[in-house]
Amino acid sequence: KEDLQVWRGEAAATHHANAHNRRTRVVVAQKLYVAKKFRDEESIYFPHYIDFRGRVYPSAAYLTPQGDDLCRGLLEFANGKPLGKDGGFWLASHIAGLFDIDKVPFEERVAWTWAHDEEIMAAALSPEDDNAFWRKSKDNPVQALAACYEWLGFRMNGEAHVSHISVAM
């Protein structure tokens, strides 16, 4: 009787986990479908609405700039800007933040990124590698991969590199 009860508990937990995974797969598939549908467009726009408190929210359902890691990692600005004199600093700070190095001064974040320079560039060159550095980002792996690509561009082109990703400041 006790074994049956233990089995039922484990079976219920497995059923719940499977249902959660199924929902997650559907949501990811919807986001990827929308991204693929618009990837060849020159630019896209997001209609927004304002709530009664004056807060602004995108009204798109799946792919939005205020979405999760997948949404933010897939989206980029249509019109990029050259990084310029300070852009590399802010890109390095952003990369460190994606790897949870965000409770330290900006200079330490930048130093952390430069200390991991080779790993970041290797991740951009071989993203499919199981040990790619971007996979070490716990909460933001897709944004981390996008940032690795930007870092590679910055390292190759310097201040003239035209960035298209949003950098958290």
Side-chain angles (χ1 to χ4, degrees):
K1 220 175 189 182
E2 291 175 11
D3 289 342
L4 180 61
Q5 209 155 11
V6 168
W7 177 84
R8 282 184 177 162
E10 291 173 355
T14 300
H15 177 73
H16 178 71
N18 287 342
H20 179 266
N21 288 340
R22 198 169 16 259
R23 283 190 301 271
T24 302
R25 281 193 307 273
V26 168
V27 169
V28 168
Q30 290 168 330
K31 290 175 184 177
L32 291 174
Y33 171 78
V34 172
K36 286 178 184 175
K37 185 175 181 179
F38 290 105
R39 79 173 156 204
D40 295 328
E41 297 296 326
E42 191 172 311
S43 61
I44 59 174
Y45 297 88
F46 294 95
H48 284 68
Y49 68 93
I50 301 174
D51 71 5
F52 70 94
R53 297 166 293 199
R55 295 181 181 171
V56 180
Y57 300 99
S59 52
Y62 302 112
L63 192 62
T64 71
Q66 291 180 338
D68 62 3
D69 174 56
L70 179 60
C71 292
R72 292 179 185 185
L74 289 173
L75 292 173
E76 60 181 28
F77 291 110
N79 302 319
K81 300 267 185 184
L83 287 177
K85 185 178 69 158
D86 297 327
F89 177 89
W90 291 112
L91 178 59
S93 176
H94 174 66
I95 290 171
L98 293 172
F99 289 91
D100 295 328
I101 312 298
D102 56 356
K103 304 287 190 265
V104 298
F106 290 122
E107 290 76 18
E108 290 182 35
R109 297 178 200 189
V110 172
W112 181 91
T113 300
W114 280 104
H116 293 89
D117 176 59
E118 289 183 21
E119 296 165 292
I120 293 168
M121 290 195 301
L125 293 170
S126 298
E128 69 284 346
D129 183 8
D130 288 341
N131 296 321
F133 190 67
W134 65 271
R135 295 177 190 268
K136 295 178 182 174
S137 176
K138 293 176 190 160
D139 297 327
N140 304 299
V142 179
Q143 291 179 77
L145 177 58
C148 287
Y149 287 131
E150 287 296 317
W151 184 255
L152 178 64
F154 167 67
R155 294 291 282 128
M156 292 172 62
N157 304 317
E159 295 177 0
H161 176 67
V162 177
S163 177
H164 292 267
I165 66 169
S166 78
V167 172
M169 296 179 70

